[in-house]
Amino acid sequence: QVQLVESGGGVVQPGRSLRLSCAASGFTFSYYGMYWVRQAPGKGLEWVAGISYDGSNKYYADSVKGRFTISRDNSNNTLYLQMNSLRAEDTAVFYCARENGVGDLFFWGQGTLVTVSS
Amino acid sequence: SYELTQPLSVSVALGQTARITCGGNNIGSKNVHWYQQKPGQAPVLVIYRDTNRPSGIPERFSGSNSGNTATLTITRAQAGDEADYYCQAWDSQHEVFGGGTKLAVL
């Protein structure tokens, strides 16, 4: 069965960096685009970034462009999100999700919490 | 930037029909997806590409999309349908989520 397991969250000071990982299993990872979606405490879903199946195309929300970088390692079935210059407003649960061609997110991980605080 | 507008909350009597709208400029020309999220859980896709149900989603859930409004319809509402619901669409190399609607089943 499809499994997506995020890791790398934690407490970080403003201005510092953090890298999230998403380990995928149960499907051919290199066939699918992948997304990061976040949810601030008590708030709605916010799309963060997306990457095509082969890593050739990457897309970012305006709120993170220039600070966050999405990448993938198809040989290790892992998705990444490098987050630099973190701000308090980046505090959220970050989910990775598998998309099915037109942004339809059939499978989600359980999420990893990132807290940006001094 | 593109925006999707949802009502903050919708109430429905047990066993009745709930309709949750998602407004956006010419949204009828886009693929719209809907997610259900219960407290402390990851979202679950309930409708994709406007009208399609993933396997395991009850037939009580249906979707439509035309003009400037997409709609998620839940018939014979059950207590277990209480959740937040989000619409989603793609525009100009960005995915966009609606602000979410809290469904209360009375």
Side-chain angles (χ1 to χ4, degrees), chain B residues 1-35:
Chain B
S1 61
Y2 194 72
E3 292 186 359
L4 296 176
T5 301
Q6 297 181 237
L8 280 176
S9 63
V10 168
S11 297
V12 61
L14 189 68
Q16 296 304 302
T17 298
R19 293 179 180 84
I20 299 172
T21 58
C22 176
N25 185 35
N26 199 26
I27 195 174
S29 67
K30 305 179 185 301
N31 287 301
V32 176
H33 319 300
W34 291 91
Y35 301 88

Side-chain angles (χ1 to χ4, degrees), chain B residues 35-50:
Chain B
Y35 301 88
Q36 176 194 70
Q37 187 182 33
K38 297 181 178 179
Q41 298 183 16
V44 172
L45 181 69
V46 294
I47 293 291
Y48 66 101
R49 305 185 192 191
D50 299 340

Side-chain angles (χ1 to χ4, degrees), chain B:
Chain B
S1 61
Y2 194 72
E3 292 186 359
L4 296 176
T5 301
Q6 297 181 237
L8 280 176
S9 63
V10 168
S11 297
V12 61
L14 189 68
Q16 296 304 302
T17 298
R19 293 179 180 84
I20 299 172
T21 58
C22 176
N25 185 35
N26 199 26
I27 195 174
S29 67
K30 305 179 185 301
N31 287 301
V32 176
H33 319 300
W34 291 91
Y35 301 88
Q36 176 194 70
Q37 187 182 33
K38 297 181 178 179
Q41 298 183 16
V44 172
L45 181 69
V46 294
I47 293 291
Y48 66 101
R49 305 185 192 191
D50 299 340
T51 62
N52 299 278
R53 275 179 295 104
S55 61
I57 300 301
E59 291 183 8
R60 302 184 298 104
F61 288 79
S62 64
S64 63
N65 186 16
S66 178
N68 293 319
T69 304
T71 302
L72 173 69
T73 300
I74 306 171
T75 58
R76 303 184 301 280
Q78 301 177 0
D81 298 333
E82 277 208 344
D84 294 325
Y85 291 85
Y86 297 89
C87 59
Q88 176 209 355
W90 171 265
D91 181 82
S92 301
Q93 299 193 337
H94 288 71
E95 288 291 352
V96 181
F97 285 97
T101 298
K102 184 174 293 292
L103 177 67
V105 180
L106 308 176

